[in-house]
Amino acid sequence: EVQLLESGGGLVQPGGSLRLSCVASGFTFSNYAMTWVRQAPGKGLEWVSVISGSGGSIYYADSVKGRFTISRDNSNNTLFLQLSSLRAEDTALYYCARDATWELLGRWGNWGQGTLVSVSS
Amino acid sequence: DIQMTQSPSSLSASVGDKVTITCRASQSIITYLNWYQQKPGQAPKLLISGASRLERGVPSRFSGTGSGTDFTLTITRLQREDFATYYCQHNYRAPPWTFGQGTKVEIK
């Protein structure tokens, strides 16, 4: 069974940093691209970033480019999202999701339950 | 970037009704269109990919049609467990991939 477990969220002041993790199990992690999607409280879904299975291809939404960094550790089945220069508008539930293959297909059939990031002074 | 516009933003329906949700892309995305269902407190669930391909385990009362810029999600014979928010999302070419703003299906 595919499982994705996010952690690392919390309350942080504007301008601060956080590192989110997503531990995967139940599949060969390196064979799949992984993505982060966020959802502000009461709002819709926003794609944030994606990384290919090898880590060689990475993309970001314009809203986070230059502030967030996605990475992965295939030996430990873990996806990361480093959040820096955080703003109030980054407050959201952050989901990790698995793509259909190692390529960047943008089709997410497996999701974690999310980790909440709150940016406030 | 490609913009996705869903309509309506919300609707009220009764169990047994047929429900139609539309999604329009700001440019042609061929059939690179996915539909997700999200219930309160839960992660999204992929229902349909490639505009019309039903994911494994998704009931056949869900169907998707469309190509180019205009797409439709239809739920025939609405069931109680179908009350949720539905999102379209394009995966055309390289990112960024965008979602529609969502359509909340409520009980009448």
Side-chain angles (χ1 to χ4, degrees):
Chain A
E1 180 192 4
V2 173
Q3 290 194 345
L4 300 170
L5 184 62
E6 303 95 334
S7 63
L11 176 63
V12 61
Q13 292 187 337
S17 299
L18 276 178
R19 190 193 200 197
L20 308 184
S21 300
C22 170
V23 176
S25 61
F27 63 100
T28 304
F29 184 64
S30 59
N31 285 356
Y32 292 87
M34 298 293 296
T35 210
W36 289 96
V37 172
R38 68 183 180 182
Q39 186 169 36
K43 303 297 184 181
L45 301 169
E46 179 187 15
W47 173 79
V48 172
S49 182
V50 63
I51 185 168
S52 62
S54 67
S57 291
I58 288 173
Y59 290 87
Y60 299 97
D62 286 345
S63 59
V64 307
K65 199 173 295 182
R67 300 187 300 120
F68 291 8
T69 302
I70 193 171
S71 62
R72 63 191 298 159
D73 179 351
N74 285 345
S75 62
N76 287 300
N77 297 340
T78 305
L79 173 72
F80 300 102
L81 187 67
Q82 178 70 43
L83 287 62
S84 303
S85 302
L86 282 163
R87 308 165 179 167
E89 54 265 36
D90 296 318
T91 294
L93 187 63
Y94 284 74
Y95 293 102
C96 68
R98 192 190 80 168
D99 212 317
T101 72
W102 62 270
E103 296 179 289
L104 308 184
L105 294 185
R107 187 170 81 229
W108 309 302
N110 299 94
W111 296 66
Q113 285 305 302
T115 186
L116 183 62
V117 172
S118 297
V119 183
S120 175
S121 54
Chain B
D1 298 352
I2 299 172
Q3 307 304 314
M4 307 300 294
T5 303
Q6 281 181 242
S7 62
S9 56
S10 66
L11 63 91
S12 296
S14 301
V15 171
D17 283 354
K18 176 181 177 180
V19 166
T20 299
I21 299 168
T22 63
C23 178
R24 174 165 289 177
S26 59
Q27 68 180 71
S28 176
I29 56 171
I30 312 179
T31 56
Y32 289 92
L33 191 282
N34 306 314
W35 289 98
Y36 296 84
Q37 176 194 64
Q38 187 180 33
K39 298 178 180 179
Q42 296 186 18
K45 174 186 176 182
L46 180 62
L47 298 177
I48 289 171
S49 60
S52 61
R53 185 171 57 244
L54 211 61
E55 292 295 301
R56 186 177 304 177
V58 175
S60 58
R61 62 181 179 272
F62 290 91
S63 64
T65 60
S67 65
T69 61
D70 295 315
F71 302 87
T72 299
L73 172 69
T74 300
I75 313 170
T76 56
R77 298 181 302 280
L78 194 70
Q79 300 298 302
R80 185 160 296 273
E81 59 266 30
D82 302 335
F83 292 96
T85 301
Y86 294 85
Y87 296 92
C88 63
Q89 171 246 335
H90 88 81
N91 58 331
Y92 179 65
R93 292 188 171 176
W97 299 308
T98 46
F99 291 89
Q101 77 276 23
T103 296
K104 186 174 184 179
V105 177
E106 299 177 297
I107 301 174
K108 184 183 287 184

